[in-house]
Amino acid sequence: MAQNAKDGLNQESTCYAGGFPLLWSAFALVPQALIEDENPDLWLNFLRERVPHDQVISSTTFEELGLVCLYEAKKEREHVIPYILSRACAHEITDNAVCAIRDSDKLAVVCFINGQLHLGNIYEATTKEQTLYWILKIYEVLQIPASVTLYLQCGEATRKLITSHLHVEPF
C-alpha cells in the first residue's frame, strides 16, 4: 500500500483551471516561520524518500495565511495547491469555506475554519461519486456544517450531484 501511494506521488497529471495548466505533483504547506531558505527540499522529503538534487523546488508565500507552499516545478506550470490557495485568498475568506477543483481523476481541496487553513490535500477521484465521497468525508471529519459554502470548479454532472447535498458556488 505504501508503495502505491509513493508511486502516485511520482505520476504527473495535468488539469486546466482558469486557463492555467496545473500540476498534481508533490507539495508541502509549511509555516512561514519554519522555512529554511538554504534547504527547501527538506520539506518535500517528508512526502518522498528523496527529492532529486536536480529537481527545481518552487515556492509561493501566502502572507495572509502565514505559510509557504513548496512544490516541484515542472515545465513552468503552476501547481494546483498554490493556485487554489490564491483563489481562496482572493475571496477574502474570514469564516468557514471549502474550495475544490476537480478535473480528470484528481480532486484538490483546501478548507478554512474560522478563516484559518485547516486542510490542503489532493485526492484520487476518477468518478463524480468519488468526488462527492471525498467532499462529504471532509465535511464530516472536520465537522463543517452542510450550510458552509463549497466553492467548486468541476464538470456539470459532478456539480449537479454535489449540489443535491451541499450549497455550491462557482470557484
Side-chain angles (χ1 to χ4, degrees), residues 15 17 21-30 47 59-60 62 65 67-72 77-89 99-101 106-112 117 119-123 171:
C15 82
L22 304 171
L23 287 181
W24 301 100
S25 57
F27 70 95
L29 296 173
V30 182
L47 300 174
S59 65
T60 303
F62 296 93
L65 300 174
L67 63 82
V68 175
C69 181
L70 297 171
Y71 56 95
E72 297 174 312
R77 295 179 187 162
E78 186 177 355
H79 191 281
V80 70
I81 293 295
Y83 174 82
I84 200 170
L85 283 172
S86 295
R87 297 278 307 273
C89 289
C99 305
I101 295 175
K106 304 286 188 209
L107 173 69
V109 180
V110 295
C111 298
F112 293 87
L117 180 68
L119 174 75
N121 207 352
I122 298 172
Y123 303 93
F171 185 55

Side-chain angles (χ1 to χ4, degrees), residues 24-159:
W24 301 100
S25 57
F27 70 95
L29 296 173
V30 182
Q32 199 171 356
L34 298 180
I35 289 294
E36 298 174 0
D37 291 330
E38 60 277 354
N39 193 13
D41 63 333
L42 168 72
W43 298 100
L44 283 180
N45 281 326
F46 284 116
L47 300 174
R48 294 193 176 183
E49 289 180 19
R50 183 92 175 110
V51 174
H53 287 292
D54 61 347
Q55 175 62 55
V56 177
I57 307 299
S58 293
S59 65
T60 303
T61 302
F62 296 93
E63 298 283 341
E64 57 272 72
L65 300 174
L67 63 82
V68 175
C69 181
L70 297 171
Y71 56 95
E72 297 174 312
K74 294 183 180 179
K75 303 176 188 166
E76 302 300 318
R77 295 179 187 162
E78 186 177 355
H79 191 281
V80 70
I81 293 295
Y83 174 82
I84 200 170
L85 283 172
S86 295
R87 297 278 307 273
C89 289
H91 279 83
E92 296 181 5
I93 296 168
T94 57
D95 199 17
N96 300 334
V98 179
C99 305
I101 295 175
R102 183 194 182 258
D103 189 55
S104 190
D105 62 349
K106 304 286 188 209
L107 173 69
V109 180
V110 295
C111 298
F112 293 87
I113 299 175
N114 297 324
Q116 300 294 310
L117 180 68
H118 275 251
L119 174 75
N121 207 352
I122 298 172
Y123 303 93
E124 290 287 328
T126 58
T127 66
K128 63 185 181 222
E129 291 81 12
Q130 286 176 334
T131 302
L132 175 63
Y133 168 82
W134 283 117
I135 289 173
L136 291 177
K137 190 66 169 174
I138 290 165
Y139 272 72
E140 176 189 350
V141 170
L142 295 180
Q143 299 177 351
I144 300 171
S147 60
V148 170
T149 301
L150 168 63
Y151 296 96
L152 180 63
Q153 183 174 315
C154 66
E156 189 56 38
T158 302
R159 177 181 306 284

